Amino acid sequence: DGGITQSPKYLFRKEGQNVTLSCEQNLNHDAMYWYRQDPGQGLRLIYYSQIVNDFQKGDIAEGYSVSREKKESFPLTVTSAQKNPTAFYLCASREGLGGELFFGEGSRLTVL
Amino acid sequence: KQEVTQIPAALSVPEGENLVLNCSFTDSAIYNLQWFRQDPGKGLTSLLLIQSSQREQTSGRLNASLDKSSGRSTLYIAASQPGDSATYLCAVRPQSGNDMRFGAGTRLTVKP
């Protein structure tokens, strides 16, 4: 079945460590996105990519990094520079300008 | 900058009621508007996508309307069921930019 796969589902990190969240899609979508969700708040955009080898910062990119070496993959690295990384992270993809946005199941990161 | 507001933040109804969830946005220059459902600890599931040229979309017991000029959308749920209990989010795709702007959601509880 076509869809978006995020891994791991749960991740625990010690302060000062970098972690990478995986996002893979087999929908053949050009655009991919990373959002962060905190309790009681709307989703906030971290990074997005419209095409391979190109990506743009969103509203809260500080402390995060991404790469887009393949159309199917858009991994997110949460670096030690991110001051409050504990959150629920959601990956999404879309086909075309007016297309429907699809989401993965999310990854919950907890910093100990 | 586009702002999206959802009222009420939470809603509790008895099973069988018809209900309306509201979404308002500040800038009418949008490509489309999308309604999502989110269950606790899960990703977002797309319910309905309304393009800017459309007035409404229907899927089963769900009907979403769009009034761009007034910056409003409503999601109508007919004959609500306990399985409809979830958080419902709306998001708009501004004509400028490549991301979606999300509301904080309405948490719906349908009591048996």
Side-chain angles (χ1 to χ4, degrees):
Chain A
D1 283 3
I4 301 173
T5 302
Q6 289 188 239
S7 63
K9 190 173 177 64
Y10 299 97
L11 185 60
F12 298 88
R13 187 194 93 175
K14 293 182 180 179
E15 284 192 20
Q17 288 181 334
N18 293 352
V19 294
T20 297
L21 308 180
S22 170
C23 178
E24 302 278 333
Q25 55 100 358
N26 60 5
L27 300 168
N28 200 33
H29 288 171
D30 288 314
M32 297 186 73
Y33 305 82
W34 274 105
Y35 288 91
R36 169 179 172 143
Q37 187 177 37
D38 295 284
Q41 296 189 34
L43 275 67
R44 292 183 290 168
L45 182 67
I46 305 172
Y47 268 98
Y48 67 96
S49 168
Q50 298 184 63
I51 196 169
V52 173
N53 293 324
D54 183 62
F55 47 83
Q56 308 294 329
K57 292 182 179 181
D59 298 325
I60 57 166
E62 184 176 351
Y64 300 97
S65 66
V66 294
S67 63
R68 186 84 186 277
E69 298 177 0
K70 297 187 300 181
K71 187 175 185 178
E72 304 79 26
S73 179
F74 192 39
L76 174 73
T77 297
V78 185
T79 75
S80 56
Q82 168 51 232
K83 298 191 184 309
N84 185 21
T86 294
F88 191 50
Y89 292 89
L90 289 157
C91 179
S93 71
R94 184 206 333 261
E95 179 183 28
L97 288 174
E100 195 172 358
L101 193 66
F102 291 93
F103 280 85
E105 283 295 295
S107 294
R108 185 168 299 281
L109 172 64
T110 303
V111 174
L112 304 173
Chain B
K1 182 178 175 182
Q2 180 75 265
E3 301 279 344
V4 181
T5 303
Q6 292 186 248
I7 295 174
L11 181 64
S12 181
V13 300
E15 182 177 5
E17 268 202 14
N18 302 324
L19 57 100
V20 173
L21 306 181
N22 296 296
C23 173
S24 61
F25 47 97
T26 54
D27 187 347
S28 62
I30 63 171
Y31 268 119
N32 56 43
L33 182 145
Q34 197 168 349
W35 281 93
F36 297 89
R37 168 188 173 134
Q38 186 177 31
D39 293 292
K42 302 289 188 181
L44 278 66
T45 299
S46 178
L47 297 174
L48 290 164
L49 172 70
I50 309 177
Q51 302 294 349
S52 61
S53 58
Q54 298 174 323
R55 294 300 299 265
E56 65 177 347
Q57 283 286 342
T58 298
S59 176
R61 294 182 294 110
L62 306 179
N63 176 276
S65 67
L66 174 64
D67 185 344
K68 264 198 329 178
S69 60
S70 66
R72 294 181 182 177
S73 176
T74 61
L75 179 66
Y76 175 83
I77 302 177
S80 59
Q81 303 170 357
D84 294 331
S85 298
T87 297
Y88 291 80
L89 298 99
C90 74
V92 297
R93 169 87 192 284
Q95 287 187 357
S96 60
N98 193 33
D99 65 327
M100 301 285 280
R101 294 289 171 180
F102 284 82
T106 294
R107 190 173 69 254
L108 173 66
T109 303
V110 181
K111 298 179 178 179

